[in-house]
Amino acid sequence: MPSVAVKLYSVFFKFMLKHRLQNRIQIDDTNGPNNGTSFGITSRPNEESIAASNPLFTDGVATKDLHVDPATSVSIRIFLPETCLGSPDLDSKSRVRVSTRPGSGSDPNQALILRRNSYGYCTTDSVIENQTNYNKNGFNHRRNSYGCNVVDDLGLKSENGVYRGYNPAGKKNCRKLPVMLQFHGGGFVSGSNDSAANDLFCRRIAKLCDVIVLAVGYRLAPENRYPAAFEDGLKVLHWLAKQANLAECSKSSVGSRRGGEGGGGGGGADLRKSDAYGHIADAFGASLVEPWLAAHGDPSRCVLLGVSCGGNIADYVARKAVEEGKLLDPVKVVAQVLMYPFFIGSVPTHSEIKLANSYFYDKALCTLAWKLFLPEGEFDLDHPAANPLIPGRGPPLKWMPPTLIVVAEHDWMRDRAIAYSEELRKVNVDAPVLEYKDAVHEFATLDMLLKTPQAQACAEDIAIWVKKYISLRGHEFSY
């Protein structure tokens, strides 16, 4: 059973949440159906602490905030792990030394470090080799949170350590990392992508999975009801595809200009031609390329991760990605992770009956949240946004990407999430379920539970599974 502290905090949490939801229902009824605007809001700072963005790699991850849509309040927070600064060439040399260096087992601790090289650990010889490269080429080393020397051989940091990012005219050997879109929880009516709890969780995932995390700040209800939050998730996926294409356009433009400069007698004509191409590229927004993603993002390895109601959004975005197919190129959704998704239905499951008054988010409070989120006059627990098992939801489940579902033992939503995974497995989609004993809803993402061993173990389990689908060397990670 959950600890006494968890039980007491749950009582306080549910009391405050019920008070807030009832106040929003009253305000919504007073203002009428058109109380919201298309711009909307993505956070309620008076309800939770906010973590400021930090472009320094102080704990191994740098962050920045972007507003991605001028018509709405949709924003993202980028979490960039410091491992992106490692040169791919030096990484491969380190791996070779790990496998061929004789006598590496003389020190057990040293041997352990050598085996963990994939997380950024460096061998003694590789450190010496990197120091030699520093003497020859002026490479700059700095210590990262994993305990190894990360090589900034691209010169992309300013004097105060702020990461500058990408220059298309610079070197092309930046390390590419998969991209993960993360959708926070909060019952569609609260939470934010820049809250202290979500910031800590995304930093943990970015380091463990070695990915660039884009935490999406979608519009909240009741100011913006369904389908606003779902459309915002898809909008960020489209924005990612646009960024990838603009970055490639910018690279091509710079490459053609540099080729024209060194092209001999015909260089003048080539240069004029490349300049014209560059103006066309800028007209399409190549100058607005996000530098961190352009330098280090690999959108062909895109993962969706949704927490609670964010799981509903992630599942919607995955379905739309399947329907759009190559229209999203070069973005490819290779997997999704649904953490205790916010599913419900009109016919109650066993857990919805037995655990209706469970911890933190009980069924009555969640029903209130659905009333605030679904369009007025369309409240239905079998709405396609709420129930993943209704027929005709589309597309066919067999086309869905591999889906990892995380559930908690003391969560009334667990059975419907498990049933969804069973339906996916029936059509041969890889859809395992991770169930955590004595756990409650949001046990791995709630502020007071984030630093528990169970929350850390959950993040590590997610990383193990995700790496099956984002690894460039095959499925060497498995259960």
Side-chain angles (χ1 to χ4, degrees):
M1 294 292 292
S3 66
V4 175
V6 170
K7 293 179 181 179
L8 292 176
Y9 186 69
S10 173
V11 173
F12 171 77
F13 183 92
K14 289 199 290 185
F15 174 79
M16 295 300 298
L17 180 60
K18 182 178 181 180
H19 179 71
R20 291 167 181 167
L21 291 178
Q22 289 176 341
N23 284 343
R24 285 180 199 141
I25 289 177
Q26 293 174 359
I27 294 173
D28 191 52
D29 292 339
T30 302
N31 294 337
N34 297 319
N35 64 317
T37 65
S38 60
F39 192 78
I41 62 170
T42 59
S43 65
R44 306 184 194 277
N46 59 320
E47 295 182 2
E48 56 189 345
S49 58
I50 301 299
S53 61
N54 184 2
L56 301 174
F57 293 103
T58 52
D59 62 347
V61 178
T63 60
K64 71 160 65 170
D65 294 326
L66 293 177
H67 185 193
V68 300
D69 182 18
T72 67
S73 58
V74 181
S75 62
I76 61 171
R77 171 163 288 187
I78 303 178
F79 294 81
L80 183 70
E82 193 173 16
T83 52
C84 70
L85 298 183
S87 169
D89 295 335
L90 291 177
D91 285 349
S92 61
K93 290 178 181 179
S94 298
R95 284 195 294 269
V96 171
R97 287 189 177 274
V98 168
S99 59
T100 60
R101 182 187 173 199
S104 60
S106 58
D107 185 349
N109 294 328
Q110 179 71 8
L112 177 60
I113 292 177
L114 297 179
R115 287 195 297 272
R116 293 296 300 277
N117 188 60
S118 61
Y119 278 83
Y121 288 93
C122 300
T123 68
T124 303
D125 286 352
S126 64
V127 172
I128 296 174
E129 179 181 2
N130 292 344
Q131 184 63 39
T132 303
N133 290 331
Y134 176 87
N135 295 334
K136 291 180 179 179
N137 304 314
F139 289 172
N140 180 31
H141 300 264
R142 62 172 285 161
R143 201 80 173 171
N144 80 343
S145 62
Y146 300 118
C148 81
N149 289 325
V150 173
V151 184
D152 180 18
D153 60 349
L154 308 176
L156 296 176
K157 288 183 182 177
S158 61
E159 292 181 358
N160 60 358
V162 174
Y163 184 55
R164 292 197 299 261
Y166 170 71
N167 178 3
K171 299 182 180 181
K172 303 291 178 61
N173 60 341
C174 298
R175 183 164 179 248
K176 295 289 186 177
L177 299 178
V179 179
M180 175 182 287
L181 268 61
Q182 188 264 354
F183 305 94
H184 65 81
F188 299 110
V189 296
S190 61
S192 67
N193 64 331
D194 57 358
S195 68
N198 199 66
D199 185 85
L200 177 57
F201 173 73
C202 289
R203 287 176 181 273
R204 176 180 292 170
I205 290 294
K207 288 190 283 189
L208 287 174
C209 296
D210 201 19
V211 298
I212 300 174
V213 176
L214 306 184
V216 180
Y218 54 84
R219 289 171 290 173
L220 301 177
E223 291 84 355
N224 293 93
R225 294 173 178 263
Y226 174 87
F230 288 72
E231 291 176 344
D232 292 347
L234 185 60
K235 188 173 297 180
V236 172
L237 192 68
H238 285 157
W239 177 85
L240 177 62
K242 178 181 177 181
Q243 285 293 315
N245 285 300
L246 290 179
E248 189 61 33
C249 183
S250 181
K251 289 179 183 178
S252 300
S253 173
V254 171
S256 61
R257 293 180 190 181
R258 295 178 68 183
E261 291 173 358
D270 291 340
L271 182 58
R272 287 192 297 272
K273 185 176 180 181
S274 66
D275 285 340
Y277 179 81
H279 290 307
I280 295 175
D282 287 340
F284 281 97
S287 60
L288 301 179
V289 172
E290 162 47 44
W292 290 9
L293 289 177
H296 306 294
D298 181 1
S300 67
R301 295 179 288 159
C302 181
V303 179
L304 308 177
L305 186 151
V307 176
S308 191
C309 66
N312 298 49
I313 300 174
D315 191 61
Y316 171 87
V317 173
R319 288 189 282 118
K320 289 299 181 181
V322 168
E323 291 176 351
E324 297 190 14
K326 293 186 178 180
L327 294 177
L328 282 172
D329 281 349
V331 173
K332 291 181 175 60
V333 176
V334 298
Q336 67 170 339
V337 180
L338 309 182
M339 300 181 67
Y340 20 84
F342 203 63
F343 294 148
I344 198 172
S346 59
V347 179
T349 63
H350 177 71
S351 65
E352 290 174 359
I353 296 173
K354 182 180 178 181
L355 302 171
N357 194 32
S358 57
Y359 303 95
F360 294 104
Y361 293 88
D362 59 35
K363 189 173 182 180
L365 289 176
C366 292
T367 303
L368 281 178
W370 279 111
K371 287 180 179 179
L372 287 168
F373 176 67
L374 293 176
E376 293 190 59
E378 298 182 24
F379 175 71
D380 182 5
L381 294 181
D382 284 329
H383 191 282
N387 190 347
L389 302 177
I390 61 172
R393 194 165 176 254
L397 290 181
K398 64 180 180 180
W399 294 348
M400 291 293 287
T403 302
L404 173 67
I405 295 182
V406 176
V407 297
E409 181 183 11
H410 299 287
D411 182 7
W412 67 269
M413 301 179 232
R414 61 182 294 278
D415 282 1
R416 202 171 298 273
I418 294 173
Y420 184 43
S421 72
E422 291 173 350
E423 293 299 315
L424 289 171
R425 291 197 298 272
K426 286 179 182 178
V427 290
N428 297 321
V429 175
D430 182 22
V433 175
L434 293 180
E435 181 176 4
Y436 291 83
K437 300 298 181 182
D438 294 328
V440 298
H441 191 79
E442 288 222 48
F443 72 93
T445 47
L446 200 65
D447 50 3
M448 79 161 294
L449 303 175
L450 260 172
K451 296 183 179 180
T452 62
Q454 199 171 39
Q456 177 69 28
C458 178
E460 293 172 357
D461 291 341
I462 290 172
I464 291 171
W465 184 83
V466 163
K467 285 180 178 179
K468 289 170 56 178
Y469 297 100
I470 62 175
S471 173
L472 292 175
R473 293 175 290 171
H475 293 186
E476 69 268 50
F477 296 94
S478 63
Y479 287 103

